[in-house]
Amino acid sequence: MINRFITIFTAVLIISSAAVAQLVFDPQLAGRDVAFPDTPVGQTSEIRYTATSRGNGPWTVNLNTNNQQFAVVPNQFVVQNGQAVAFVLRFTPQQAGVVNGLLSGSYTNGREAPRINVNMSGRGVQAGGPRIAADPDTLDLYIYTDELGTIWQSTEVAVTISNTGNAALNIQSITDNANWLICDRNAAFAIAAGQSVDVTFSVPQQSIDALTPDIYEAVITVNSNAGNQQHLAIPVTFERDFVPHYLVVLGDNEPATDHAILVASATIDGEELDEWDEVGVFNPRDDLAGSGPYELEWPIAFIAWGDDQNAGFDGFRQNEAFDFRIWDASAAHEYHAEAEFVGGPERFANNSVSEVVLSSAPDFVDQVIPLRAGWTNISLRVTPEERYWAGDPGPEVPAIFESVRAHVNIVKNDRGQFYLPANNFNGIPYIDLERGLQVRMSTADTLIIRGTPIPEDEEITLIRGWNLVAYYPNRSLTMAAAFEDLTRRNLLVIAKDDQGRFHIPNQNFGGNVPIRPGSALMINIRENCTFHYPAQQLAGFSRPESTDDDSTFFYDPPKPTSDNMSILISAVDGIVVRDGAEIACRTPSGFIAGASRLKGPPPW
C-alpha cells in the first residue's frame, strides 16, 4: 500500500556549482532535508519530483541512497533540453522508529557535474495506520425567529477531526454536495497520531439571503488516507425557518381584549397568495396589531389584539376600523387590501370573531425622471409593470427607454454593458433594480416609468470597490443621512453624484450634498456588504444647502461627462479665501474641466 504525501514548496532552486547549470528540480533538493511522513512498517510513502532542462543539456542524472529503506525511482535518467522527467523518492520502513539516510549523486552534461547530497529521514510506526474520527458526527445549522421576534441563528459550527490511529493522517480534501455551505480549509493537511484539528463549516450571508424558509440537507465528505475509513461522511441539516414581515411582539402579559380574524381567501391582482405571503391588520394609528402567514391552506387565522397600555401594547380600541394589508413575500412589497366581511363585526369588538375575504391590486405610480442633455445617472425606485419585462430577472432596457429613444445616445450600466438605440444594439441583458444607469441624451427629455414603489429601506447588496447604486427614497436626503449606516460601519470611502459633487465621511466633507429622487450614486465601499436607506419615519437629516444657479458663476461649470475625478482642497496658500470665492481647473488646452464656489472653512 502506498501513502501519497504531497509536499508544497514555493521556491525552486537550480542545483549547480556553476552558474551555467540549467537543470531545475521541483521541489528543490539542494540545501533542504527531505522528511517523510510517519509511515506504517512495511508500507511506502512517496515524494514526487521533476527535473527540467532549461538549456546546456542534455543532462544525465544519477542518484543513489545509502539505506535500503529509501529508494529513488528511476535512479538514472536523461533530461533533454526543454523537457522534464518525473521521479520519486520512497520510504519503506522495515522497523518502528526513526530512520535516516542520504541521497547522493550528480548530474552532468559532459562538461559540468554538479553534486547532490541530501539528508533524508522518516519514522516507521507499528501497523494499524491512521484512524479518522469527527466530533460532532452530524451538523445542525439554523436561523429562525421565535414567537417574541428574537432572531436565533447558528450558521457556523466547528468540527473536530481527530486521528485516533498510530500513523499520520493525511486529509486530502473536504467536499460537500451543497452550494450553500463553505469550509475554512480548502487545502490538504496532515494530522499526527493522537492529534486533532478544528475545521469550521458555515452558511454565508449570501446563501442565507438566497434560501427560502425550508429545511436543507447536505453531506460533507472528508477524504483521507485512513484505510477503509478514507471517506468519512458527515450529514448536515440547515433549517431556514420562517421570519415574518408582520411580526406582532407581545410583552410578558397579553392584552386584555382581542378579536379573532379568519381570512377565508385573499388575492393580489386577482391571483391567490403564495406560500409565506402574509396578512396584517393595523389600527387607525398605523400600529400592527395582528398578523398571520399563508401556509397553503385557508383560512388564515390570527388574533387582532386590543389596546392595553398596562401590557405595553398599542392595539385596537373598541369599535375602531380594521386596516388590512397583504405582504407579497416574493416581491417584498406591501399592498393595502379591500375587505369584504362575510361574518362577524366589521369593527373591533372584544371576544368577537370576524370572517373576511381580502383583495388587493398593485398600487401603481408613475416615476418621473428628468434627463438633461449630456450625461445623467438615473435609477428606478419602482418595480416596472409587466409590459417592461420579457422575463426574469429584470426589466428590459429598450422597453424602459422606448418613449425617449429618439434622444438617447447611449445607456450604460456599471458592468460596462451598453445600449445604442441608433445602432439597434443592446448589450444589457436586464436592468438590475439595485443598480443605477448612466444615460447620455442628445436633447433633454423626461422619462416616465409606471410601476409599484420599491420600499425606501429595501436592502441593497454592495461589492468592494465602486458601485453605481440605485436611490429608492422619493425625497431628497443629504449624502450624510442617506449613507449614515455605511459610515457608522466605516465602510463608505466616498460617494459621488453625476455632477461631480462628493461626500468623504472620514474627512467630514460634503455631508450636506443633496440627492435628488430618481438619481444614482457612485459609491466606493471597503468590503462586500448590504445596506439600506433610512425609512421615512426614521430619517433624520439636515436641510440641504441651497445650490447656486450656474449662471452666477464666474467660471462656468462644464456639463457632466461619463468620467470624473474628485478633488478635495485642504488649504490655499498665499491668499485669504472668503465665502463666494471660486476655483476652477483647466485642461492643458484651456478648457474648464471643473469649477466650484467655496463656502466656509476648508476642506472644499
Side-chain angles (χ1 to χ4, degrees):
M1 176 180 178
I2 295 179
N3 292 327
R4 302 201 179 277
F5 176 71
I6 302 173
T7 306
I8 300 174
F9 295 93
T10 58
V12 176
L13 179 66
I14 299 175
I15 305 171
S16 175
S17 59
V20 295
Q22 293 293 316
L23 188 66
V24 177
F25 292 90
D26 186 16
Q28 73 180 52
L29 284 175
R32 175 173 292 180
D33 294 342
V34 175
F36 287 87
D38 292 349
T39 304
V41 173
Q43 297 186 20
T44 299
S45 293
E46 288 185 349
I47 302 178
R48 296 181 177 274
Y49 290 83
T50 59
T52 303
S53 174
R54 295 183 177 173
N56 296 336
W59 295 89
T60 300
V61 181
N62 291 279
L63 298 172
N64 297 285
T65 63
N66 67 345
N67 187 321
Q68 65 177 2
Q69 297 178 79
F70 298 95
V72 54
V73 180
N75 67 337
Q76 296 183 355
F77 52 89
V78 176
V79 186
Q80 301 293 336
N81 283 341
Q83 296 183 357
V85 173
F87 65 99
V88 297
L89 297 183
R90 290 177 175 170
F91 171 50
T92 308
Q94 303 303 310
Q95 70 280 335
V98 175
V99 181
N100 294 305
L102 178 68
L103 173 70
S104 61
S106 65
Y107 54 100
T108 179
N109 60 0
R111 300 180 300 277
E112 312 217 7
R115 297 290 303 171
I116 296 175
N117 289 285
V118 177
N119 293 319
M120 298 183 295
S121 64
R123 185 165 71 98
V125 296
Q126 292 295 341
R131 189 174 182 84
I132 189 171
D135 183 29
D137 55 7
T138 61
L139 301 185
D140 292 310
L141 303 166
Y142 57 86
I143 178 171
Y144 65 92
T145 300
D146 67 15
E147 69 279 3
L148 295 179
T150 304
I151 295 179
W152 299 86
Q153 60 182 2
S154 172
T155 54
E156 182 176 293
V157 64
V159 176
T160 300
I161 298 178
S162 302
N163 179 7
T164 60
N166 57 6
L169 173 66
N170 298 322
I171 304 299
Q172 297 153 354
S173 64
I174 299 176
T175 59
D176 64 75
N177 61 351
N179 59 4
W180 45 264
L181 190 65
I182 61 174
C183 174
D184 68 342
R185 283 184 175 267
N186 296 319
F189 60 95
I191 306 176
Q195 300 298 309
S196 301
V197 170
D198 286 340
V199 179
T200 300
F201 298 93
S202 61
V203 183
Q205 188 62 47
Q206 58 266 35
S207 295
I208 293 174
D209 294 340
L211 301 176
T212 58
D214 207 344
I215 295 177
Y216 297 82
E217 295 181 342
V219 175
I220 294 169
T221 303
V222 183
N223 301 296
S224 73
N225 67 332
N228 294 331
Q229 294 184 342
Q230 62 180 346
H231 300 299
L232 177 65
I234 304 175
V236 184
T237 299
F238 176 61
E239 184 173 0
R240 175 73 159 92
D241 207 353
F242 178 64
V243 180
H245 177 75
Y246 292 134
L247 185 62
V248 180
V249 181
L250 302 178
D252 294 334
N253 300 312
E254 291 184 356
T257 58
D258 62 76
H259 186 138
I261 302 292
L262 300 176
V263 181
S265 66
T267 58
I268 299 174
D269 200 22
E271 295 186 4
E272 191 173 275
L273 303 190
D274 291 325
E275 188 176 18
W276 310 119
D277 290 346
E278 301 172 49
V279 173
V281 64
F282 293 76
N283 66 21
R285 292 165 299 284
D286 205 34
D287 298 314
L288 175 66
S291 67
Y294 176 60
E295 299 181 87
L296 299 180
E297 63 180 13
W298 301 102
I300 300 174
F302 59 88
I303 297 296
W305 296 100
D307 189 72
D308 190 337
Q309 296 308 304
N310 291 330
F313 188 81
D314 298 318
F316 283 95
R317 298 166 188 169
Q318 199 67 16
N319 205 38
E320 284 189 329
F322 297 111
D323 175 14
F324 290 99
R325 302 177 195 176
I326 298 175
W327 174 253
D328 185 338
S330 60
H333 190 75
E334 179 184 78
Y335 299 97
H336 288 274
E338 296 291 332
E340 177 187 352
F341 285 83
V342 295
E346 297 186 9
R347 291 175 174 266
F348 183 86
N350 187 33
N351 292 328
S352 295
V353 178
S354 294
E355 184 175 3
V356 297
V357 173
L358 302 178
S359 59
S360 179
D363 45 347
F364 288 108
V365 298
D366 288 331
Q367 181 183 358
V368 179
I369 306 176
L371 297 170
R372 58 175 173 264
W375 288 98
T376 308
N377 291 354
I378 71 166
S379 63
L380 303 183
R381 61 173 184 81
V382 299
T383 300
E385 59 184 0
E386 194 171 313
R387 63 190 173 94
Y388 297 105
W389 297 62
D392 289 335
E396 283 193 317
V397 172
I400 290 292
F401 288 94
E402 179 61 31
S403 64
V404 296
R405 175 190 172 102
H407 300 146
V408 175
N409 295 137
I410 187 172
V411 177
K412 301 196 301 183
N413 65 14
D414 60 357
R415 298 185 181 96
Q417 300 164 320
F418 56 92
Y419 166 53
L420 293 172
N423 299 84
N424 291 318
F425 173 79
N426 178 37
I428 304 177
Y430 65 93
I431 296 178
D432 183 345
L433 296 179
E434 293 188 356
R435 298 289 182 263
L437 296 169
Q438 294 179 301
V439 183
R440 180 171 180 172
M441 302 287 291
S442 59
T443 304
D445 207 334
T446 301
L447 180 64
I448 301 176
I449 302 298
R450 189 163 183 78
T452 56
I454 297 174
E456 290 191 353
D457 58 350
E458 180 83 348
E459 192 168 78
I460 295 175
T461 300
L462 302 174
I463 60 173
R464 180 182 177 184
W466 285 103
N467 298 259
L468 181 60
V469 66
Y471 181 69
Y472 294 148
N474 189 26
R475 57 202 168 97
S476 180
L477 289 173
T478 64
M479 287 190 181
F483 300 115
E484 186 277 334
D485 176 54
L486 292 173
T487 300
R488 177 175 47 79
R489 291 187 281 159
N490 195 31
L491 294 173
L492 179 64
V493 179
I494 186 173
K496 305 199 298 186
D497 66 12
D498 55 7
Q499 299 177 60
R501 298 178 299 180
F502 57 97
H503 167 47
I504 304 179
N506 285 353
Q507 297 282 348
N508 194 27
F509 176 81
N512 277 336
V513 174
I515 307 172
R516 70 180 185 280
S519 64
L521 286 302
M522 288 294 300
I523 62 174
N524 193 302
I525 301 299
R526 289 189 170 86
E527 61 184 60
N528 296 353
C529 65
T530 60
F531 100 107
H532 60 81
Y533 296 103
Q536 184 145 5
Q537 64 269 26
L538 300 178
F541 57 95
S542 57
R543 182 178 299 277
E545 293 180 356
S546 60
T547 56
D548 295 290
D549 183 355
D550 290 350
S551 63
T552 65
F553 275 68
F554 176 78
Y555 296 116
D556 291 330
K559 291 182 179 179
T561 67
S562 61
D563 300 312
N564 63 70
M565 177 180 177
S566 303
I567 307 294
L568 189 66
I569 301 169
S570 59
V572 176
D573 293 334
I575 62 172
V576 176
V577 178
R578 305 183 186 280
D579 278 2
E582 295 180 32
I583 193 165
C585 60
R586 295 182 184 273
T587 67
S589 56
F591 291 102
I592 294 178
S596 179
R597 174 161 289 154
L598 308 185
K599 295 181 180 180
W604 302 293

